[in-house]
Amino acid sequence: MNKSLVTAVCAAGVAAFGSTALAADGATNGSVKIGVLSDMSGVYKAIEGPGAVIAAEMAVEDFGGSVLGEEIEIVSADHQNKADVASSIARRWIDRDKVDMLVGMDNSAVGLAVQGLASGKDTITMNTGAGSVELTESQCSKYGIHYVYDTYALPVGTATAMVENGGKSWFFITADYAFGHSLRDNTSRVVKEMGGEVMGSVEAPLSTTDFSSYLLQASSSGADVIGLANAGGDTVNSIKQANSFGIVQRGQKLAGMLVFLTDVKALGLDTAKGLQFTTAFYWDRNEESRKWSQRFFEKHGAMPTMVQAGVYSAVMHYLEAIKASGSDAAAPVRKQLGEMELNDFFVQNGKIEANGLMSHDMYLAKVKTPEESESDWDLLDIVSTIPAADAYIPISESACSLVKQ
């Protein structure tokens, strides 16, 4: 069930930034332990996976290796994109191994299951990989934090840009689980609000290799835009096969509703050029992001996705909250996180709301042509910034019961 459990004990030396006298509350169980739960072997491996473990280890090292006088440990495991497997790992980590916080969970079914279980056991989750808005809406929880992006924010930039440029009618190829349904529904909302129409949708199982029947249905609909409400290897396969069928050449447009840097790399610029999508992070956006990303590249051999960069940011701010609150207990740490303004190479002026949403700016990106690219990972242009106030469900409109408390 847990084939790739990896335990990594990070540097124990106490650096100036991470050292602090043991506060009254202190570490509740003699250690501070963080669990990275991700897809280590499947369709989302390149998006988060082993790179997330590296990012978490980098955060611990940069923090100084200890907090409240206790060594910080990283453990990791493969959830295999199965909610039951993920829940079993999370339960064992919390009950037996005394894990204090879980991060990653790049699958919405996994994320929802683990968040509910962990919150019931007074354990913080910082979901960096899954997208469903239900993490902070109908299934919000006291200790659940949604950190990098959600399926409300993704279409705000992408669908808006495409409808404004003539993509009025849409047909969706949808990953058949919580994330895909949420992304399709939220994109449909944006399209309709802008005066467009949704002509239909077809659902494809996770890890589909042959998209031909789904693409033929989408193509025969005559829609201006085929929206891909999927991610990772599924997005790559569907775009490659759409190009081989000549769908784009015949005039229909593809909209990748969740595209990662590694997807663009896998597709190649000849195939992906001109593709627009919404992202929370791009390694080449400014000097600070370039500096951190180069360090990550030296360890991982690839530039970071927004999720991998988000893991570092989440772990670092979690450790800062422990230090500031003087305890690693969930209640004071969550309270401290809600009071902090989050700033680093990944996020500027970020805020964790009462429903657990980490509100921050998003970016509309466009894939470069081969002629525009100057280096191996020079893949994107940032077209515009989407302010946090426009990117996410306003907290005043949230359905989360915690907001009203």
Side-chain angles (χ1 to χ4, degrees), residues 157-205:
T158 309
T160 298
M162 298 202 75
V163 174
E164 287 178 345
N165 285 286
K168 299 291 186 181
S169 58
W170 288 59
F171 187 99
F172 290 93
I173 296 176
T174 304
D176 192 14
Y177 73 107
F179 157 75
H181 299 168
S182 181
L183 185 52
R184 175 198 60 204
D185 295 346
N186 279 288
T187 305
S188 297
R189 173 188 55 80
V190 173
V191 170
K192 292 174 182 177
E193 286 177 355
M194 296 189 65
E197 66 171 322
V198 175
M199 301 181 69
S201 174
V202 62
E203 297 177 345

Side-chain angles (χ1 to χ4, degrees), residues 1 6 12 56 136 208 269 289 334 367 386:
M1 178 176 291
V6 179
T136 53
T208 294
L269 294 182
S289 63
R334 176 63 181 89
V367 178
I386 306 165

Side-chain angles (χ1 to χ4, degrees), residues 22-56:
L22 184 62
D25 290 336
T28 55
N29 51 41
S31 68
V32 174
K33 191 174 293 187
I34 297 167
V36 182
L37 186 56
S38 187
D39 178 358
M40 301 293 182
S41 57
V43 68
Y44 301 144
K45 176 182 177 181
I47 291 170
E48 195 172 68
V53 181
I54 290 171

Side-chain angles (χ1 to χ4, degrees), residues 189-322:
R189 173 188 55 80
V190 173
V191 170
K192 292 174 182 177
E193 286 177 355
M194 296 189 65
E197 66 171 322
V198 175
M199 301 181 69
S201 174
V202 62
E203 297 177 345
L206 182 67
S207 301
T208 294
T209 56
D210 184 0
F211 281 88
S212 57
S213 64
Y214 310 113
L215 288 164
L216 287 172
Q217 289 181 64
S219 179
S220 63
S221 73
D224 299 326
V225 179
I226 299 173
L228 303 175
N230 52 19
D234 287 346
T235 299
V236 171
N237 285 336
S238 51
I239 292 176
K240 283 182 176 179
Q241 290 171 35
N243 275 272
S244 69
F245 293 157
I247 290 174
V248 175
Q249 294 89 327
R250 291 196 297 270
Q252 287 178 299
K253 299 176 182 177
L254 294 178
M257 301 316 303
L258 178 55
V259 178
F260 292 88
L261 186 69
T262 46
D263 299 334
V264 176
K265 185 67 173 175
L267 287 165
L269 294 182
D270 279 325
T271 299
K273 62 186 177 185
L275 185 67
Q276 293 188 62
F277 59 93
T278 303
T279 185
F281 173 81
Y282 179 48
W283 73 270
D284 200 21
R285 193 175 69 82
N286 58 35
E287 184 56 36
E288 193 176 9
S289 63
R290 283 190 287 272
K291 184 177 179 181
W292 183 86
S293 298
Q294 185 57 46
R295 290 176 54 213
F296 179 87
F297 179 85
E298 290 168 0
K299 295 175 179 289
H300 187 55
M303 285 298 180
T305 64
M306 64 173 174
V307 169
Q308 291 161 340
V311 168
Y312 177 99
S313 180
V315 170
M316 182 62 79
H317 283 112
Y318 171 73
L319 294 173
E320 289 173 352
I322 291 177

Side-chain angles (χ1 to χ4, degrees), residues 87-104:
S87 296
S88 177
I89 294 168
R91 185 176 293 107
R92 183 174 69 251
W93 276 356
I94 296 168
D95 292 345
R96 187 192 72 184
D97 300 334
K98 308 305 178 186
V99 167
D100 298 286
M101 188 272 277
L102 281 76
V103 68

Side-chain angles (χ1 to χ4, degrees), residues 384-403:
S384 62
T385 299
I386 306 165
D390 297 330
Y392 295 98
I393 298 173
I395 193 67
S396 61
E397 298 176 14
S398 176
C400 175
S401 59
L402 299 173
V403 174

